[in-house]
Amino acid sequence: MPQIEKEYIETGKMKYVFMDFPLPMHRQAMKASEAGFCAGDQGKFWEMHDRLFANQNALNPEDLLKHAEALGLEMTQFKGCLDSGKHGAEIRAAMAEGQKAGITGTPAFLFGFIESDNKVKATKKISGAFPYTNFKAAIDEMLSGKQ
Amino acid sequence: MVLVAMVSVISFNAGVVFSQTADEIKSLRDEIKALKEGQSAIQRDLQEIKSLLRTRQAKPQPQPPSPPEFKEAVLSIDSGHARGDKNAKLVMIEFSDYQ
């Protein structure tokens, strides 16, 4: 969400983490998530992430390759990455973390503070794509220390 | 002579009856007036209540951002992709799928 980006991320008040959560009933979602990771291997995770969200009707295997080509990725490496499914384990790990935290649907947002070694203690949750005002309220509360 | 006396007695009594009736009528009139005023006051209250209800219905009820049932959870963000200042302590984690 561009307002969140501008108000909180660009200003350094908050960082944003995207955790893949391909739902089992979305048959193309897993490979799409892998495409993100494979693009990330070549330094273009966010570009692929943005492109996939802009093309949610074009996520079949041929489409994924077209997206990679459009981003100028090295195709042999990209295809190899997708076919081998090497990032499957990481994606499943992300899903497991989400499930442990009670995530069942997408999109879902957790807000928390970093503890140690890349762990976050989440104390707020927004389930679904609510308007910016809801996010602003939650984030401002976290920043004010009220939680 | 008796007739005159009788007529004057009757008219005196009638006068008494008439003034009693006049009193009753006056008090009835007063009661009606009071009832009417009470009714107007009730009608004004009803109007106020109606317009309060209307404004409340017109206002969209805001949904709370997070349901109170969410208890805290500790999770690892190792498998996620981060953006923003890596030293920021506050984190927003989005779980999403592309489809």
Side-chain angles (χ1 to χ4, degrees):
Chain A
M1 204 174 283
Q3 288 143 304
I4 297 181
E5 187 77 36
K6 183 162 168 277
E7 280 293 318
Y8 300 103
I9 301 174
E10 281 172 23
T11 54
K13 291 179 181 156
M14 182 175 80
K15 74 178 178 192
Y16 166 81
V17 175
F18 182 84
M19 296 276 273
D20 286 76
F21 203 81
L23 294 173
M25 67 279 243
H26 290 161
R27 292 172 54 234
Q28 296 173 328
M30 183 62 178
K31 270 307 178 201
S33 283
E34 283 182 59
F37 271 79
C38 293
D41 287 342
Q42 300 188 35
K44 293 216 170 153
F45 171 83
W46 293 107
E47 289 86 342
M48 181 60 90
H49 161 283
D50 294 349
R51 206 181 161 89
L52 292 174
F53 272 118
N55 290 281
Q56 288 180 295
N57 291 324
L59 297 178
N60 66 39
E62 297 89 62
D63 293 322
L64 296 178
L65 296 178
K66 286 201 195 111
H67 296 315
E69 274 164 359
L71 292 176
L73 297 179
E74 206 293 301
M75 290 311 290
T76 316
Q77 184 187 348
F78 183 82
K79 273 195 208 129
C81 175
L82 263 193
D83 293 342
S84 69
K86 65 187 263 224
H87 288 295
E90 260 179 289
I91 293 168
R92 278 185 287 275
M95 289 173 72
E97 288 300 307
Q99 279 157 357
K100 254 186 355 187
I103 305 293
T104 49
T106 60
F109 304 85
L110 293 181
F111 301 86
F113 290 94
I114 299 267
E115 301 211 304
S116 54
D117 60 322
N118 242 11
K119 290 229 180 10
V120 175
K121 179 155 127 183
T123 51
K124 267 202 206 301
K125 177 179 173 192
I126 292 180
S127 298
F130 279 87
Y132 171 65
T133 45
N134 294 68
F135 286 87
K136 182 172 161 61
I139 298 170
D140 287 346
E141 252 187 75
M142 300 292 289
L143 287 171
S144 74
K146 272 188 244 147
Q147 303 221 0
Chain B
M1 188 59 192
V2 167
L3 204 57
V4 168
M6 273 174 68
V7 167
S8 53
V9 164
I10 288 170
S11 46
F12 172 74
N13 281 338
V16 168
V17 167
F18 281 140
S19 73
Q20 276 181 341
T21 312
D23 282 345
E24 266 174 61
I25 289 176
K26 182 173 186 307
S27 79
L28 280 170
R29 283 217 181 98
D30 287 347
E31 261 191 82
I32 290 174
K33 183 162 177 267
L35 280 168
K36 275 184 168 173
E37 278 171 4
Q39 223 179 26
S40 299
I42 291 174
Q43 270 175 340
R44 278 196 298 275
D45 282 354
L46 275 173
Q47 275 305 111
E48 203 183 308
I49 292 172
K50 270 167 140 181
S51 58
L52 271 172
L53 280 172
R54 254 183 253 123
T55 53
R56 202 163 288 179
Q57 274 165 5
K59 246 189 278 187
Q61 301 301 326
Q63 298 297 320
S66 40
E69 311 92 52
F70 175 71
K71 50 190 200 322
E72 60 184 43
V74 176
L75 60 157
S76 160
I77 51 173
D78 279 342
S79 310
H81 288 85
R83 54 186 292 142
D85 184 353
K86 54 178 173 297
N87 294 319
K89 288 277 170 259
L90 175 61
V91 188
M92 174 168 107
I93 305 171
E94 176 178 358
F95 289 89
S96 197
D97 82 348
Y98 293 107
Q99 194 170 336

